[in-house]
Amino acid sequence: MPSAFEKEKDNSLANKSEKITETLKRAILAQRLLPGAKLGERDLAEKFDASRIVIRQALIRLANDGLVTIERNRGAFVKKYSLQEAIEIYDALTLIEQGVAAQLAARLDRAGWQILQDHIKLQADAIEREDNDMADDLGAGFHSLLVSLTNNRVIQDIHAQVVQRSHLLRSLHISRFDYCNLLEEHSKIVDLLQRGRLKQVMELIDHHHHHVVRGYVMDFSDHPAMSLHEALSPFIAEGGGSGASVGTAE
Amino acid sequence: MPSAFEKEKDNSLANKSEKITETLKRAILAQRLLPGAKLGERDLAEKFDASRIVIRQALIRLANDGLVTIERNRGAFVKKYSLQEAIEIYDALTLIEQGVAAQLAARLDRAGWQILQDHIKLQADAIEREDNDMADDLGAGFHSLLVSLTNNRVIQDIHAQVVQRSHLLRSLHISRFDYCNLLEEHSKIVDLLQRGRLKQVMELIDHHHHHVVRGYVMDFSDHPAMSLHEALSPFIAEGGGSGASVGTAE
DNA sequence: CATCACGGATTGGATACCAATTCTCTTTTT
DNA sequence: AAAAAGAGAATTGGTATCCAATCCGTGATG
């Protein structure tokens, strides 16, 4: 009876509250809930078929991660970052990734370099296929991959946190940046890193993020912002969602 | 009636739940609640004269900050970091402060350097007075001060988060490290930084944290750990606390 | 002696209810 | 008629109470 394989230590989202947190987070990061969108407790409770309490717990977690703001007696909203904050976020990202690069330049082994180059090749293929969504994911994933090679979960978590916030900025800008260019920079980073040209790597990462943030055309107008129901339906198991056009909004 | 000075935007802990969060955090960081201590919802609710729900919200926030762990159906405990995690935390701290140092070396103006040197002098005075607690605070404060000079709130918050976690490590080690030595290093950091000797600064920061983490003698035995009531009474407004021996445990 | 079953005890969650604040829309006043 | 004032609805913050699930220790049982 006591099969030895039971204690899987299923750490993944045992709590309803955490599940809701993750779902909301995904909806926000996927830009289905845009900055400024109101996250009413009653509405969410209804959509998730949960009590207001677990909703509030989820909102507290998201607020703690900087993805929503909770205004007293007014409610929770998807966080709207200012241009100044956008710059700070990218500066933080630069700082972290520069530090990671320095660590990796000293410590990474052959297998590690291979992983990075494989990843870059994947992205290059995606671009050739003109699979923009995939290229987007891989392009962002490159940075996370870089960080994960430090084998330091604390740094990974911090980095992930800042990356998440940076996703909130993407809905504030219009122009899509040039993937090829970014890819080339990624490739150059790995190359320089491997050859120990640390200083140039630093400058490149700095330039890389400046390139992104400068590409932003801040757009603080109020977007139409689909309703909560529309925004969340593809994430909550139930028919309703005409899930065709999830990825690309405009 | 509408006095122009009313909208003070009192952002400071309007919520009961947040107040409790901060109080618990202070108690944990002050090492009155040691790693492994159980934070029972019922007990806390009683001590804070609050409902279990706001307690849980506070615990969720603390868990999100990595100060407590919540084990399903078992409760919340002050987080007990492993040696591996301790190393990761100090690595993260090193990474952040190195990055900050690099930024400051390029950007800091005269007033900034003065602030740093004033701070060091304060600590030196405290050491001469043999005011260990003060020296401790100032020593830790140096790093936060350094980070705050970036004028980047995101980086400051991240740094503060990691520093908080590092406080949880201090209760796991026995030997107190040598303040004078650390002070000297701080002073040297500022000096080198100002002269643009970036590489040496990096090595010094690295060495600095290694110095701390190597000074640790991990002690995983269960400390007696005073009761919740004892631990929290000085933080909750009421007579009870014989506040004499708060700072220095052993 | 090992195993299983049975109660506490604690957490996770739901529901109902109330207080405080904000928002909105109507009413009143000038 | 425009602006100020006010009443009422809606929303959040919080409490109390109840119930289900789970964990843990204890004791019965083979």
Side-chain angles (χ1 to χ4, degrees), chain A residues 118-153:
Chain A
D118 289 350
H119 185 95
I120 287 176
K121 185 152 176 33
L122 271 181
Q123 191 188 355
D125 291 348
I127 288 177
E128 226 165 275
R129 266 183 285 119
E130 296 193 8
D131 187 348
N132 263 14
D133 287 344
M134 177 69 88
D136 194 356
D137 282 355
L138 289 171
F142 173 79
H143 297 258
S144 297
L145 181 62
L146 208 69
V147 175
S148 76
L149 289 174
T150 61
N151 268 358
N152 183 323
R153 183 138 289 280

Side-chain angles (χ1 to χ4, degrees), chain B residues 124-152:
Chain B
D125 292 348
I127 288 177
E128 225 165 275
R129 267 183 284 119
E130 296 192 8
D131 186 347
N132 264 14
D133 287 344
M134 178 68 89
D136 193 357
D137 282 353
L138 289 171
F142 173 79
H143 296 259
S144 298
L145 180 61
L146 207 69
V147 175
S148 77
L149 289 174
T150 61
N151 266 359
N152 183 323

Side-chain angles (χ1 to χ4, degrees), chain A residues 111-236:
Chain A
W113 298 115
Q114 194 56 51
I115 290 174
L116 285 173
Q117 279 164 349
D118 289 350
H119 185 95
I120 287 176
K121 185 152 176 33
L122 271 181
Q123 191 188 355
D125 291 348
I127 288 177
E128 226 165 275
R129 266 183 285 119
E130 296 193 8
D131 187 348
N132 263 14
D133 287 344
M134 177 69 88
D136 194 356
D137 282 355
L138 289 171
F142 173 79
H143 297 258
S144 297
L145 181 62
L146 208 69
V147 175
S148 76
L149 289 174
T150 61
N151 268 358
N152 183 323
R153 183 138 289 280
V154 177
I155 294 178
Q156 280 177 61
D157 288 348
I158 290 172
H159 181 257
Q161 234 189 3
V162 182
V163 167
Q164 278 173 15
R165 293 190 201 186
S166 78
H167 280 233
L168 278 187
L169 305 175
R170 302 176 96 175
S171 41
L172 291 183
H173 76 97
I174 303 173
S175 68
R176 251 164 145 51
F177 38 86
D178 186 349
Y179 294 109
C180 293
N181 200 340
L182 290 191
L183 174 66
E184 202 177 303
E185 286 189 359
H186 287 173
S187 177
K188 206 183 278 182
I189 285 176
V190 173
D191 187 44
L192 288 172
L193 210 50
Q194 206 165 1
R195 301 210 319 251
R197 317 284 297 175
L198 204 45
K199 198 164 179 181
Q200 286 173 264
V201 172
M202 297 305 199
E203 280 167 18
L204 194 49
I205 290 176
D206 199 40
H207 172 268
H208 186 56
H209 284 133
H210 272 70
H211 183 203
V212 174
V213 82
R214 292 239 179 82
Y216 280 11
V217 178
M218 283 295 168
D219 171 21
F220 291 99
S221 64
D222 276 339
H223 289 257
M226 66 186 94
S227 72
L228 265 188
H229 177 72
E230 263 187 289
L232 290 175
S233 40
F235 294 99
I236 302 173

